[in-house]
Amino acid sequence: MKCIQYATQRELALSNTNTTAGHDATRQIRRRIVSGELAPGSRLGQSRLAQELGVSRIPVRDALLQLAGEGLVVLRPNASASVAPLSIGDLEELYELRDLLEPPLCELAVPRLTAADLAAMERELRRMDDSLDPVDWLEANNAFHAAIYERAPRPRMVELVDRIRQLTDRYSRIAHQFNEESARSEHLLMLEAARNAEPARLSALVRAHIASGYETMLTFLADAELEAPRAADGPR
Amino acid sequence: MKCIQYATQRELALSNTNTTAGHDATRQIRRRIVSGELAPGSRLGQSRLAQELGVSRIPVRDALLQLAGEGLVVLRPNASASVAPLSIGDLEELYELRDLLEPPLCELAVPRLTAADLAAMERELRRMDDSLDPVDWLEANNAFHAAIYERAPRPRMVELVDRIRQLTDRYSRIAHQFNEESARSEHLLMLEAARNAEPARLSALVRAHIASGYETMLTFLADAELEAPRAADGPR
DNA sequence: GGTTCATGAAATGTATACAATATGCCACCC
DNA sequence: GGGTGGCATATTGTATACATTTCATGAACC
């Protein structure tokens, strides 16, 4: 009897095999939200999305349910879904969560890092340098951190951190130009700590990385518009 | 212009108003899973569930997607969903998460606790004493802890902890008789710390509470069957 | 002017129907 | 005996259709 391994949500999301229209819709809508193409508070009518994606409303419903679970979409019964709003308070909470979760993952992951992982980190650093738009940069940035964390034997925590980082990405994109430069040098230090197999040092660097990211973000977002750019007078 | 507040998933789950068949199905299936009526690994055929719940497959699909997001159900494209399996490693990870998240919530919540909150804690303590079956006890236990945490101005963390505790409940139910007695005295100490508004002390008590719960659970589950009780020869 | 209420239009929730995929079984072969 | 291939069945994924609810508009009223 061959025993098929359970596929986690994360594994499914990464592999494009066996993809259904629902998963495809999820990915597309998620990207539009993280990229800001769909502004916070925008209405997400099922029919409109279905037409835009060339599918029926059912896969769109699946996608909206999934994204609601990820915290990117807000659902209300019998009413249109909308893109989850942004707020300074939410940003603070998200960074607090990252500060709690990412350092322990570092400590667990560093002793298990392989040469291939270090190479992946270097590759993502280059991708960040070569990135042309904020979304590319954020994707490489997440891949850099994921290359570390995924070695930690804590699948749930890794997936959770991944989701949380995805939520902070919506804020990061707005303050992108401020973050990128300071992040670069910090990333280099992190790579060095990973190479030297220093869990405590990497953990401390990550904490500082998170704190500095939060600070720059906060100073920049303090007077920025977090609500919808008044496309259709905002949703609700 | 009246501005409707965003309803979080948690608020929706608690209020029974405006409920749809999908939400109802979600609650029922969730309860069956947490109670163990649906054993880990059991197949969750959409048609069968739909028939049992007296609805069509669409609300069942919604429910399964929701529960997959909560980590109670495992989905694979084009294949039947199944109840998420249990494992010692997963239990360890869940308790590690609780140990990271619950103490900070205590520190934030204690200074904000009201008399009504303390009364709610006492009420849930009585409910635990009066409970007739493990699931009732677990529900009151969660309500006791939620009465504390919900005062923390961290809605995301509160919801996250709630979800994680729900996942550990599946394990707790198995080792229930071992936990209940030791938990009782710890709960009384926690109530006292809350009454005296001692954040640090409550935080420490919660950490100890989590650790002791984990220990008893582990010694009991070490030789217990975590897989499906061979109802229909396992899942897949 | 602002509020309330009714009404039509739009959007969601759900049921049903069909196509695509996986599952289980059995013959078959090594 | 164990593994392989193919076929019938069961199950999921998606489209469409309809019932129900919400939303937007405007009239009536204070």
Side-chain angles (χ1 to χ4, degrees), chain A:
Chain A
M1 178 200 294
K2 200 193 303 189
C3 203
I4 305 176
Q5 289 191 327
Y6 285 94
T8 70
Q9 291 308 103
R10 179 174 171 75
E11 284 164 357
L12 270 183
L14 293 178
S15 75
N16 278 22
T17 69
N18 254 348
T19 190
T20 69
H23 296 152
D24 202 50
T26 306
R27 270 192 293 271
Q28 294 206 37
I29 299 173
R30 184 194 293 125
R31 191 163 47 82
R32 286 202 210 178
I33 292 176
V34 174
S35 76
E37 181 185 335
L38 289 169
S42 305
R43 280 184 62 161
L44 298 170
Q46 295 178 7
S47 310
R48 188 172 58 80
L49 287 172
Q51 197 171 0
E52 289 178 17
L53 299 176
V55 294
S56 85
R57 278 173 48 213
I58 300 290
V60 172
R61 279 181 67 78
D62 290 358
L64 292 177
L65 266 164
Q66 167 83 27
L67 294 172
E70 297 178 13
L72 289 171
V73 160
V74 176
L75 296 180
R76 277 174 317 149
N78 296 316
S80 287
S82 57
V83 178
L86 302 181
S87 75
I88 300 289
D90 188 50
L91 178 68
E92 181 188 356
E93 186 168 2
L94 292 173
Y95 267 86
E96 196 171 330
L97 277 168
R98 287 181 51 180
D99 188 57
L100 286 170
L101 298 175
E102 295 193 36
L105 276 184
C106 283
E107 308 253 4
L108 287 167
V110 168
R112 294 177 172 79
L113 287 178
T114 66
D117 297 326
L118 295 171
M121 290 171 70
E122 292 174 27
R123 187 178 62 239
E124 300 305 335
L125 280 177
R126 278 194 300 275
R127 261 184 70 201
M128 279 187 256
D129 290 337
D130 300 344
S131 69
L132 298 176
D133 71 291
V135 177
D136 283 349
W137 187 89
L138 286 171
E139 199 180 302
N141 181 35
N142 283 335
F144 175 82
H145 286 267
I148 304 175
Y149 302 150
E150 273 175 358
R151 277 287 163 264
R154 297 290 184 275
R156 278 208 143 94
M157 283 178 73
V158 171
E159 185 174 346
L160 182 56
V161 165
D162 211 56
R163 282 193 180 188
I164 294 170
R165 292 183 61 96
Q166 186 172 250
L167 294 176
T168 60
D169 280 351
R170 298 175 66 204
Y171 298 87
S172 303
R173 189 191 53 78
I174 300 175
H176 171 248
Q177 59 271 38
F178 281 76
N179 271 329
E180 190 171 344
E181 23 189 316
S182 65
R184 194 181 138 74
S185 57
E186 293 170 7
H187 283 153
L188 288 175
L189 289 174
M190 290 167 60
L191 176 60
E192 191 185 307
R195 247 199 220 106
N196 298 343
E198 301 173 293
R201 177 153 167 252
L202 180 57
S203 175
L205 285 171
V206 164
R207 284 205 71 177
H209 184 56
I210 292 171
S212 92
Y214 179 59
E215 289 303 326
T216 41
M217 194 104 49
L218 210 55
T219 52
F220 183 73
L221 290 181
D223 48 7
E225 291 283 328
L226 284 185
E227 298 306 316
R230 211 140 306 282
D233 193 13
R236 146 158 331 283

Side-chain angles (χ1 to χ4, degrees), chain B:
Chain B
M1 177 199 295
K2 199 192 308 188
C3 202
I4 305 176
Q5 290 190 328
Y6 283 96
T8 68
Q9 290 308 105
R10 178 173 173 76
E11 284 165 356
L12 269 183
L14 293 178
S15 75
N16 279 20
T17 68
N18 251 349
T19 190
T20 68
H23 296 153
D24 202 51
T26 306
R27 270 192 293 272
Q28 294 205 37
I29 299 173
R30 184 193 292 125
R31 193 164 46 81
R32 286 202 210 177
I33 292 176
V34 174
S35 76
E37 181 184 334
L38 289 169
S42 305
R43 280 185 61 161
L44 298 171
Q46 296 178 6
S47 309
R48 188 173 58 81
L49 287 172
Q51 196 170 0
E52 288 177 19
L53 299 176
V55 295
S56 84
R57 278 172 47 211
I58 300 290
V60 172
R61 278 181 67 79
D62 291 357
L64 292 177
L65 265 164
Q66 167 83 26
L67 295 172
E70 296 177 12
L72 288 171
V73 160
V74 176
L75 297 179
R76 277 175 317 150
N78 296 315
S80 288
S82 58
V83 178
L86 302 180
S87 75
I88 300 288
D90 189 49
L91 178 68
E92 180 188 356
E93 185 167 4
L94 291 173
Y95 267 86
E96 195 171 331
L97 277 168
R98 288 181 51 180
D99 188 57
L100 287 170
L101 298 175
E102 296 194 37
L105 275 185
C106 283
E107 308 253 5
L108 288 166
V110 168
R112 294 177 172 80
L113 287 179
T114 66
D117 296 328
L118 295 170
M121 289 171 70
E122 291 174 25
R123 188 179 62 241
E124 300 304 338
L125 280 178
R126 280 194 301 275
R127 263 183 70 200
M128 278 188 257
D129 289 338
D130 300 344
S131 68
L132 297 175
D133 70 289
V135 177
D136 283 347
W137 187 89
L138 287 170
E139 200 180 301
N141 181 35
N142 284 335
F144 175 82
H145 286 267
I148 306 174
Y149 303 149
E150 272 175 358
R151 277 286 163 265
R154 298 287 185 277
R156 278 208 142 94
M157 280 177 76
V158 172
E159 184 176 346
L160 182 56
V161 165
D162 212 57
R163 283 192 179 188
I164 295 171
R165 292 184 62 94
Q166 184 172 254
L167 294 176
T168 60
D169 279 351
R170 300 174 65 204
Y171 298 88
S172 302
R173 188 191 55 79
I174 300 176
H176 171 250
Q177 58 271 38
F178 280 77
N179 272 330
E180 190 171 342
E181 25 189 315
S182 65
R184 196 180 136 73
S185 57
E186 293 170 8
H187 283 154
L188 289 174
L189 289 175
M190 290 167 59
L191 175 60
E192 191 185 305
R195 251 202 217 99
N196 299 342
E198 301 173 294
R201 178 154 166 253
L202 181 58
S203 175
L205 285 172
V206 165
R207 284 205 72 177
H209 185 57
I210 292 171
S212 92
Y214 179 60
E215 288 302 327
T216 42
M217 194 104 51
L218 209 56
T219 52
F220 183 73
L221 291 181
D223 46 9
E225 289 283 328
L226 285 186
E227 297 306 318
R230 213 138 306 280
D233 192 13
R236 139 177 344 282

